[in-house]
Amino acid sequence: DTAVSQTPKYLVTQMGNDKSIKCEQNLGHDTMYWYKQDSKKFLKIMFSYNNKELIINETVPNRFSPKSPDKAHLNLHINSLELGDSAVYFCASTHSRGPNTEAFFGQGTRLTVV
Amino acid sequence: AQSVTQPDIHITVSEGASLELRCNYSYGATPYLFWYVQSPGQGLQLLLKYFSGDTLVQGIKGFEAEFKRSQSSFNLRKPSVHWSDAAEYFCAVGARNTDKLIFGTGTRLQVFP
């Protein structure tokens, strides 16, 4: 069983479109995250949710809207896609809040905006 | 603000050789320190972590890392590299008063037979 699963794995879309990436974890964790990895492999946190409550919003443009329907799911919706949004987006989860717990990552969603 | 520096963008070693990947952090107190590995097309997997106590920590896949407060370093080592170790390696720091991890820019490891 995959612990943290993301769909889709690849996403190619045109500028201006709206798209969503879904993430689910079956670890029973309370906290979930979205990270963005750019073309230079730099990994930066975007959002975190704890028990469906937004904890971190790391100055991400408001075209990006996370939604957590329950603590096992954290989806990422992106409006009006731009070329600069092309990246690999990783979902992750931890047992609880705080940086001292192991993060489990999904396989990533490679988003390409053309 | 905390930060992480991985000075080596790309390292190439022969299979069976020893390995050391460098990581330096900037943080006022003792941080939480992690090493993650990313295989091609995969997500990140935790290799090891340091919170407190013994400064030499053992991880999975035969890796170890040593925390040196005086040098603000947390270098990753392996005595004998296997071809399957070829991957991207990320050092990360977690500040004790936040919920997030700060990642370094990664070191790409190539292993030649």
Side-chain angles (χ1 to χ4, degrees):
Chain A
D1 275 349
T2 304
V4 181
S5 59
Q6 298 176 227
T7 54
K9 189 170 183 180
Y10 300 96
L11 183 54
V12 181
T13 188
Q14 290 186 327
M15 277 196 305
N17 283 352
D18 303 338
K19 291 292 178 185
S20 292
I21 307 172
K22 295 186 176 181
C23 178
E24 175 182 5
Q25 55 94 3
N26 62 6
L27 298 166
H29 287 172
D30 286 342
T31 310
M32 296 184 71
Y33 309 78
W34 279 110
Y35 283 85
K36 179 180 180 180
Q37 186 176 48
D38 63 22
S39 58
K40 296 185 178 180
K41 299 278 189 174
F42 182 58
L43 198 66
K44 187 176 179 183
I45 191 167
M46 300 173 69
F47 302 102
S48 78
Y49 271 73
N50 184 64
N51 281 322
K52 303 194 298 176
E53 178 187 354
L54 179 66
I55 302 299
I56 294 175
N57 181 341
E58 198 69 5
T59 60
V60 177
N62 58 15
R63 297 184 296 104
F64 290 79
S65 52
K67 284 188 171 52
S68 182
D70 55 62
K71 71 175 191 177
H73 295 84
L74 180 61
N75 303 324
L76 184 65
H77 188 75
I78 315 170
N79 289 328
S80 303
L81 278 155
E82 301 177 356
L83 292 177
D85 298 331
S86 295
V88 182
Y89 292 85
F90 285 101
C91 177
S93 72
T94 56
H95 179 261
S96 58
R97 288 182 63 178
N100 59 332
T101 56
E102 177 180 355
F104 290 80
F105 284 80
Q107 288 193 319
T109 296
R110 182 174 294 277
L111 171 65
T112 304
V113 182
V114 297
Chain B
Q2 56 268 29
S3 65
V4 180
T5 302
Q6 292 180 247
D8 305 305
I9 296 173
H10 186 195
I11 284 183
T12 302
V13 299
S14 298
E15 192 170 18
S18 63
L19 172 71
E20 183 169 33
L21 302 182
R22 295 183 290 165
C23 173
N24 293 96
Y25 68 89
S26 172
Y27 182 58
T30 301
Y32 299 118
L33 294 161
F34 305 81
W35 274 99
Y36 282 85
V37 60
Q38 183 182 18
S39 298
Q42 302 295 314
L44 281 74
Q45 180 186 20
L46 181 69
L47 284 175
L48 47 78
K49 60 192 177 191
Y50 173 78
F51 295 161
S52 64
D54 193 346
T55 56
L56 184 63
V57 293
Q58 303 296 323
I60 62 171
K61 305 185 181 187
F63 285 92
E64 66 177 27
E66 187 172 11
F67 169 61
K68 292 187 177 179
R69 184 190 304 275
S70 61
Q71 298 177 17
S72 297
S73 69
F74 188 56
N75 295 347
L76 182 71
R77 300 194 293 250
K78 187 169 184 178
S80 177
V81 170
H82 188 263
W83 64 266
S84 61
D85 293 325
E88 192 89 22
Y89 289 80
F90 292 92
C91 182
V93 61
R96 292 173 185 257
N97 60 346
T98 72
D99 287 299
K100 63 184 180 182
L101 286 177
I102 306 295
F103 283 88
T105 49
T107 297
R108 182 178 168 219
L109 174 66
Q110 267 189 306
V111 181
F112 283 106

